[in-house]
Amino acid sequence: MPRPGLFISFEGIDGAGKSSHIDGLAAAFRAQGRTVVVSREPGGTPLAEKLRELVLNDPMDALTESLLIFAARRDHLRNVIEPALARGEVVLCDRFTDATFAYQGGGRGFDLQVLSLLERLAQTGLAPDANLMREPDLTVWFDLAPEVAAERLVGARVPDRFESQPVEFFRRVVQGYAQRATAAPHRFARIDAALERHRVWQQLTSLLVRKGWLAIMVPADGGGR
Ligand code: TYD
């Protein structure tokens, strides 16, 4: 029996520190014999990366932004995520649809019903079961207060259209994530991202051990403190 694929997304506001843990997790899965695809959204395919550039840098309204993000997502699902899952691989994705509900829905205040419609359109009809709307098996939410995230990001790089938003925007984004977590408790796991890096890593790996997806507790993430 081939092993079933595993689709894990990582979410949180800018500065929550999720990206630094994804590579460590990929190494942990590989050490246990799994093939891992690490990807991100918007992005993950040549077309989706072009759309990412537009979304992060060009002025546009919230519907255009949402349409471009879901277009990128469908291309990514079709060309990268679904084929990897069909091969029984582990897909670790830096952001997925919960980010759209949090940033476009919460942050920008865009219509959640329209987002739900786009979600269904973009994420259905690509899996072996044509009726399935593809969603992550697990979504790890790195929860952090916007004020703390803002301090971490000071001077980090030239901010894009989202990173340059005021702290109130990120408060709404956090509320958006909280709503999604409440609506889908079966796949959401909240991690306290205010803790020290190694404590965050511990929370992450023990979560995956509890799920039975990592066999042993991995001692270190191989980087940072
Ligand atoms: P991010 O994933 O944080 O990458 P980097 O670490 O390179 O900045 O950047 C992606 C940005 O796009 C982030 O600010 C959130 C935003 N975004 C949305 O607004 N909606 C979405 O659906 C996704 C996936 C991302």
Side-chain angles (χ1 to χ4, degrees):
M1 269 281 286
R3 276 197 273 198
L6 202 51
F7 180 18
I8 307 177
S9 64
F10 300 84
E11 298 284 359
I13 56 175
D14 295 86
K18 65 192 158 46
S19 308
S20 61
H21 287 289
I22 297 176
D23 288 341
L25 215 49
F29 274 111
R30 288 186 183 118
Q32 304 197 353
R34 300 292 303 248
T35 301
V36 182
V37 174
V38 176
S39 199
R40 67 171 183 181
E41 291 218 345
T45 69
L47 172 60
E49 290 290 333
K50 286 185 195 163
L51 295 174
R52 176 189 177 93
E53 278 306 306
L54 299 175
V55 167
L56 294 192
N57 300 307
D58 289 31
M60 62 186 76
D61 79 349
L63 174 58
T64 307
E65 190 172 280
S66 303
L67 289 167
L68 292 182
I69 287 169
F70 273 111
R73 182 159 299 136
R74 186 167 178 86
D75 194 61
H76 188 209
L77 272 171
R78 193 178 145 78
N79 292 302
V80 173
I81 297 175
E82 291 295 348
L85 294 177
R87 292 190 299 266
E89 297 172 5
V90 177
V91 178
L92 304 181
C93 196
D94 192 342
R95 301 187 183 283
F96 197 65
T97 304
D98 300 303
T100 318
F101 280 82
Y103 279 77
Q104 281 63 51
R108 300 241 193 264
F110 188 63
D111 190 327
L112 297 179
Q113 283 187 343
V114 175
L115 293 183
S116 294
L117 176 65
L118 295 176
E119 177 186 33
R120 191 147 290 283
L121 278 173
Q123 293 168 222
T124 305
L126 299 170
D129 171 358
N131 295 318
L132 178 85
M133 184 179 91
R134 176 64 73 188
E135 289 189 291
D137 298 302
L138 171 70
T139 297
V140 183
W141 172 28
F142 289 72
D143 190 16
L144 185 66
E147 294 77 8
V148 180
E151 271 172 36
R152 287 187 185 174
L153 284 179
V154 168
R157 57 188 160 194
V158 180
D160 61 36
R161 287 176 65 237
F162 299 100
E163 289 160 344
S164 55
Q165 293 290 327
V167 80
E168 298 77 50
F169 177 90
F170 289 102
R171 277 199 201 103
R172 295 195 297 275
V173 173
V174 170
Q175 281 169 10
Y177 277 128
Q179 276 176 21
R180 290 285 280 183
T182 305
H186 55 283
R187 73 172 166 87
F188 252 89
R190 179 189 167 276
I191 282 200
D192 183 355
L195 298 176
E196 279 179 308
R197 186 191 155 106
H198 76 275
R199 301 270 314 276
V200 172
W201 174 249
Q202 265 170 10
Q203 290 181 76
L204 190 54
T205 49
S206 54
L207 167 69
L208 292 168
V209 169
R210 279 200 305 279
K211 291 233 165 233
W213 294 343
L214 279 183
I216 44 152
M217 189 64 194
V218 184
D221 65 349
R225 74 199 133 99

